[in-house]
């Protein structure tokens, strides 16, 4: 299994809703990442988990809350988002060392 | 801090012509360099990576890139463009011990029939 699986693929939520994005990998990778990508822009790093511990938080607003329940799963909990948070949210994983990331296909989030 | 610059936000080539996408890096230590491709409404797929072994790196789909330290460049090439190559291409850099990837601004490749 060489994939990173993200669910759901599309999500529309209101500004008062609470929702979660899910990411799963079974490649034994010990680092997992959340990126945000706006249209026609490169991905921007949000969070890094290394060995299930949060190692990098790129000053992301608290309305985004990451969680790593185990080495295969990564969640992103969303609450009270703003319309400007609408974007493609990408999950990625990697093994130790600079071998590159494996990305999921993303969740297209629309905040209304 | 490490960074990459991609010259040309949009490149158009004819089908069968040479593809050349430019990437220059800025790093105080030997970098690790990557090229990713993104098709519409999809995630990013790793095309190839330079990790201080051979300077000429071959990747998937017929792409290759050459690391030139003297020019601080890592340009992506393909001898003959195919319609299926139309996509967004990102160059990215990280340093040893820091697996955080920093992406360039991307180059949109259009293939003219």
């Amino acid at each position: 299994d060489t994939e990173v699986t993200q669910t759901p693929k599309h999500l529309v939520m209101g500004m008062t809703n609470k929702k979660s994005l899910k990411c799963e990998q079974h490649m034994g990778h010990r680092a997992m990442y959340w990126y945000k990508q706006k249209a026609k822009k490169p991905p921007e790093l949000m969070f890094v988990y290394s060995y299930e511990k949060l190692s990098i938080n790129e000053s992301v607003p608290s309305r985004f809350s990451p969680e790593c329940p185990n080495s295969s799963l990564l969640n992103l909990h969303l609450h009270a988002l703003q319309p400007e948070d609408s974007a493609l949210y990408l999950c990625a994983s990697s093994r130790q060392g600079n071998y590159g990331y494996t990305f999921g296909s993303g969740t297209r989030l629309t905040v209304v | 801090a490490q960074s990459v610059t991609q010259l040309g936000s949009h490149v158009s080539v004819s089908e069968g012509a040479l593809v050349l996408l430019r990437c220059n890096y800025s790093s105080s230590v030997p970098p690790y360099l990557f090229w990713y491709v993104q098709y519409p409404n999809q995630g990013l797929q790793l095309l190839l990576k330079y990790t201080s072994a051979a300077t000429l790196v071959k990747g998937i789909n017929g792409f290759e890139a050459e690391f030139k330290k003297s020019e601080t460049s890592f340009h992506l090439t393909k001898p003959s463009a195919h319609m299926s190559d139309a996509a967004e291409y990102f160059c990215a850099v990280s340093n040893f011990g820091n697996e955080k990837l920093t992406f360039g601004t991307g180059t949109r490749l259009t293939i003219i029939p």
Side-chain angles (χ1 to χ4, degrees), chain A residues 1-21:
Chain A
D1 190 350
T2 57
E3 287 187 346
V4 173
T5 303
Q6 289 188 245
T7 54
K9 292 194 179 304
H10 300 275
L11 178 63
V12 178
M13 60 184 291
M15 289 188 285
T16 58
N17 291 161
K18 286 185 180 181
K19 296 287 184 182
S20 296
L21 309 184

Side-chain angles (χ1 to χ4, degrees), chain B residues 3-5 23-27 29-31 33 67-74 93:
Chain B
S3 64
V4 287
T5 301
C23 174
N24 288 88
Y25 68 89
S26 171
S27 176
V29 297
L33 292 160
F67 175 74
K68 291 187 177 179
K69 185 176 179 180
S70 60
E71 299 176 8
T72 62
S73 68
F74 190 58
V93 64

Side-chain angles (χ1 to χ4, degrees), chain A residues 31 33 35 37 40-43 45 56 58 88 90 94-101 103-105 108, chain B residues 32 34 36 38 41-44 46 49 51 90 94-101 103-106 108:
Chain A
Y33 312 82
Y35 277 83
Q37 187 179 26
K40 302 186 189 303
K41 297 289 186 182
L45 183 65
I56 295 178
E58 293 286 276
L88 181 67
L90 293 163
S94 69
R95 56 183 171 124
Q96 293 305 111
N98 289 317
Y99 297 99
Y101 296 0
F103 280 86
S105 56
R108 176 75 58 187
Chain B
Y32 292 83
F34 307 84
Y36 284 85
Q38 186 175 31
N41 298 313
Q42 293 190 27
L44 281 75
L46 181 65
K49 59 181 181 280
T51 55
F90 292 98
S94 68
N95 286 117
F96 180 79
N98 175 3
E99 294 173 20
K100 174 181 172 181
L101 273 183
F103 287 91
T105 51
R108 172 152 297 187

Side-chain angles (χ1 to χ4, degrees), chain B:
Chain B
Q2 66 228 22
S3 64
V4 287
T5 301
Q6 292 185 242
L7 293 176
S9 59
H10 193 183
V11 170
S12 296
V13 301
S14 297
E15 190 175 14
L18 172 71
V19 175
L20 171 61
L21 304 182
R22 299 178 187 275
C23 174
N24 288 88
Y25 68 89
S26 171
S27 176
S28 58
V29 297
Y32 292 83
L33 292 160
F34 307 84
W35 275 100
Y36 284 85
V37 61
Q38 186 175 31
Y39 299 100
N41 298 313
Q42 293 190 27
L44 281 75
Q45 181 181 14
L46 181 65
L47 275 177
L48 48 80
K49 59 181 181 280
Y50 168 74
T51 55
S52 75
T55 56
L56 182 62
V57 181
K58 294 188 183 298
I60 62 172
N61 302 340
F63 285 94
E64 63 181 38
E66 186 172 8
F67 175 74
K68 291 187 177 179
K69 185 176 179 180
S70 60
E71 299 176 8
T72 62
S73 68
F74 190 58
H75 301 331
L76 182 71
T77 61
K78 181 174 181 177
S80 177
H82 191 273
M83 294 301 294
S84 61
D85 295 327
E88 188 85 21
Y89 291 80
F90 292 98
C91 183
V93 64
S94 68
N95 286 117
F96 180 79
N98 175 3
E99 294 173 20
K100 174 181 172 181
L101 273 183
T102 301
F103 287 91
T105 51
T107 298
R108 172 152 297 187
L109 178 63
T110 299
I111 310 299
I112 304 166

Side-chain angles (χ1 to χ4, degrees), chain A residues 52-112:
Chain A
E52 300 161 51
K53 292 190 182 335
L54 183 64
S55 60
I56 295 178
N57 177 340
E58 293 286 276
S59 302
V60 178
S62 59
R63 58 186 184 268
F64 295 91
S65 176
E67 177 196 21
C68 189
N70 59 57
S71 60
S72 300
L73 284 175
L74 186 65
N75 298 320
L76 186 63
H77 303 298
L78 314 173
H79 174 55
L81 294 193
Q82 302 298 310
E84 59 264 29
D85 296 321
S86 299
L88 181 67
Y89 287 83
L90 293 163
C91 176
S93 69
S94 69
R95 56 183 171 124
Q96 293 305 111
N98 289 317
Y99 297 99
Y101 296 0
T102 300
F103 280 86
S105 56
T107 294
R108 176 75 58 187
L109 175 68
T110 303
V111 181
V112 297

